[in-house]
């Protein structure tokens, strides 16, 4: 097997956006580091805490794991196509990669019950048939599923849940696994079409997409903010409806911003964190639990969540920058690679090869 592309050929914008997505995911996950049991005294949410909670619901919830899912889908195509260019069997290799992620995810579940790694690995197998599919075919299938997903989410506002048969169908079409798969497909299509890594060549199309989505995202944000303030029972459906359009809006805006070298350079430390995404995702739960225990926080308020998230994020950025000065990849990334390639992952010098996605 030939060595993978060097770290210099990495798509830096993907690393930076991945690092940002990790921060958004962390803001949602921190409260999941504590298990709510019957009789536990929960904090009252009022004042600034209420504002922070509403902001998180409107702008963070479901949007950042959707972004992370998009990057996973793009990574699938980049990994497989580069493996094929080296003479490897791309789908077999990616299947091994998913199995390795599945095992890592199973090991992570006892640490953090809300871990997405296990589900990413399972849903990732659905991507395999789309590697050979054309961009047009993938767009038709993905677009059709997206229409069904959005329509089913919209129908939840009109059809009462007392109609159990319909409710079960709608629940299936609107669950988070469908959202993840749709974003997997979106990332795969973007990479297959050449939008990933060649943003400059598609800058006008990306700008048009951003300008189209911006008023939609703004309208959805206002709707969610009002629904949160009125304790609307359908708030979760509105949040689900907003996830994919707002994720697309965030992604197109970020890709446009990161075309500016000065901005990309400013966020390069965040890119180091994103380059070690697997290690940092798992480490977030360990650091988060340790910090909550250290400060005696039984169940964090929204303000405490933000403060703990910032502390974790800063710690991880610093550690990632320092680590990558001495090593070519994060520890779990190295383990993942060895589990994927086996003995072939180790070169004659005993150093692990690195690919742009690995």
């Amino acid at each position: 097997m030939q060595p993978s592309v060097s770290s210099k050929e990495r798509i830096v914008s993907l690393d930076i956006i991945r690092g940002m997505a990790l921060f958004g995911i962390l803001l949602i996950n921190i409260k999941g580091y504590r298990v709510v049991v019957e009789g536990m005294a929960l904090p009252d949410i009022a004042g600034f805490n209420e504002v922070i909670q509403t902001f998180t619901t409107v702008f963070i919830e479901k949007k950042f794991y959707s972004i992370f899912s998009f990057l996973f889908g793009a990574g699938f195509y980049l990994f497989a196509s580069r493996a094929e260019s080296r003479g490897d069997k791309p789908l077999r290799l990616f299947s091994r990669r998913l199995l390795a992620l599945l095992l890592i995810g199973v090991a992570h579940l006892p640490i953090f019950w809300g871990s997405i790694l296990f589900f990413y690995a399972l849903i990732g197998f659905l991507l395999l048939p789309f590697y050979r599919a054309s961009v047009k075919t993938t767009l038709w299938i993905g677009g059709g599923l997206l229409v069904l997903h959005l329509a089913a989410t919209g129908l939840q506002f009109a059809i009462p849940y007392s109609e159990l048969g319909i409710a079960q169908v709608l629940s299936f079409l609107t669950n988070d696994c469908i959202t993840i798969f749709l974003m997997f497909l979106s990332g795969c299509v973007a990479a297959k079409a050449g939008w990933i890594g060649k943003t400059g060549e598609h800058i006008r199309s990306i700008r048009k997409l951003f300008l189209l989505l911006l008023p939609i995202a703004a309208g959805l944000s206002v709707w969610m903010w009002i629904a949160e303030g009125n304790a609307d029972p359908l708030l979760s459906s509105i949040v689900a409806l907003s996830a994919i359009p707002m994720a697309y809006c965030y992604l197109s805006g970020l890709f446009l911003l990161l075309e500016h070298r000065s901005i990309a350079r400013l966020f390069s430390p965040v890119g180091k964190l994103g380059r070690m995404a697997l290690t940092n995702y798992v480490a977030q739960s360990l650091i988060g639990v340790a910090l909550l225990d250290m400060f005696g926080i039984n169940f964090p308020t929204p303000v405490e969540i933000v403060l703990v998230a910032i502390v974790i994020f800063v710690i991880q950025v610093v550690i990632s920058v320092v680590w990558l000065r001495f090593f070519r990849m994060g520890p779990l990334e190295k383990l993942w690679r060895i589990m994927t390639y086996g003995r072939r992952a180790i070169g004659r010098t005993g150093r692990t090869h690195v690919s742009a996605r690995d």
Side-chain angles (χ1 to χ4, degrees):
M1 185 186 73
Q2 296 299 316
S4 305
V5 293
S6 70
S7 58
K8 291 182 179 179
E9 296 176 78
R10 294 184 66 90
I11 302 173
V12 177
S13 60
L14 292 186
D15 288 334
I16 294 173
I17 296 172
R18 193 177 295 113
M20 293 177 175
L22 280 173
F23 180 68
I25 290 170
L26 178 61
L27 287 170
I28 300 301
N29 282 351
I30 286 177
K31 60 185 176 183
Y33 298 158
R34 290 295 194 228
V35 178
V36 179
V37 296
E38 188 175 353
M40 176 183 287
L42 300 179
D44 292 328
I45 306 301
F48 192 55
N49 274 306
E50 187 175 7
V51 173
I52 294 296
Q53 178 172 280
T54 302
F55 182 90
T56 303
T57 301
V58 173
F59 297 106
I60 307 295
E61 188 173 345
K62 293 187 184 291
K63 286 78 175 178
F64 281 83
Y65 87 71
S66 297
I67 292 174
F68 206 66
S69 302
F70 174 93
L71 298 173
F72 186 93
F76 154 71
Y77 182 78
L78 294 174
F79 175 92
S81 60
R82 286 163 179 165
E84 187 171 29
S85 70
R86 297 190 304 265
D88 285 322
K89 295 181 178 179
L91 299 186
R92 178 182 296 180
L93 201 59
F94 194 76
S95 295
R96 291 182 60 176
R97 185 171 174 81
L98 289 173
L99 287 172
L101 182 63
L102 185 68
L103 292 175
I104 295 172
V106 168
H108 189 219
L109 281 173
I111 301 171
F112 173 45
W113 64 270
S115 175
I116 61 173
L117 301 180
F118 177 82
F119 301 99
Y120 264 43
L122 290 179
I123 299 169
F125 282 102
L126 298 177
L127 277 175
L128 298 179
F130 292 93
Y131 177 65
R132 302 293 183 191
S134 67
V135 171
K136 185 177 181 180
T137 298
T138 308
L139 280 173
W140 272 107
I141 295 173
L145 184 57
L146 177 60
V147 169
L148 285 174
H149 171 73
L150 295 177
T153 306
L155 283 173
Q156 290 181 335
F157 299 101
I159 299 176
Y161 273 93
S162 57
E163 300 182 28
L164 294 179
I166 296 177
Q168 289 174 352
V169 174
L170 295 182
S171 295
F172 172 76
L173 289 173
T174 58
N175 67 54
D176 289 344
C177 290
I178 296 294
T179 302
I180 290 170
F181 179 61
L182 282 168
M183 294 307 293
F184 277 5
L185 277 185
S186 300
C188 177
V189 167
K192 189 188 290 278
W195 283 35
I196 303 297
K198 298 179 181 179
T199 306
E201 297 178 14
H202 303 277
I203 198 76
R204 291 184 179 180
S205 298
I206 295 173
R207 186 180 293 114
K208 287 179 181 178
L209 178 63
F210 175 70
L211 293 175
L212 172 66
L213 290 169
L214 188 59
I216 296 173
L220 288 167
S221 299
V222 172
W223 188 12
M224 283 184 286
W225 198 285
I226 294 172
E228 173 78 11
N230 294 332
D232 193 324
L234 290 172
L235 175 62
S236 60
S237 295
I238 304 172
V239 172
L241 184 67
S242 72
I244 292 178
M246 289 185 70
Y248 286 156
C249 184
Y250 289 175
L251 280 163
S252 55
L254 287 170
F255 277 120
L256 289 174
L257 280 175
L258 294 172
E259 274 298 287
H260 299 277
R261 290 188 178 182
S262 57
I263 295 177
R265 191 179 301 113
L266 177 65
F267 285 98
S268 61
V270 178
K272 302 295 185 183
L273 183 146
R275 187 170 160 184
M276 294 171 50
L278 179 59
T279 296
N280 282 315
Y281 177 77
V282 172
Q284 282 179 350
S285 53
L286 298 172
I287 301 172
V289 170
L291 287 177
L292 293 178
D293 287 342
M294 182 186 301
F295 293 107
I297 300 174
N298 292 322
F299 193 83
T301 65
V303 170
E304 289 170 338
I305 287 173
V306 172
L307 292 176
V308 170
I310 291 172
V311 171
I312 294 173
F313 189 72
V314 170
I315 290 172
Q316 291 195 311
V317 167
V318 172
I319 291 175
S320 298
V321 170
V322 173
W323 181 275
L324 290 173
R325 286 184 179 179
F326 298 96
F327 303 96
R328 301 181 68 188
M329 64 180 70
L332 285 185
E333 283 73 21
K334 184 172 183 178
L335 173 64
W336 192 13
R337 186 168 178 79
I338 291 172
M339 292 171 71
T340 301
Y341 290 99
R343 293 181 180 179
R344 296 185 300 167
I346 309 298
R348 292 181 180 179
T349 61
R351 298 185 68 179
T352 307
H353 296 309
V354 185
S355 76
R357 177 62 185 88
D358 293 348

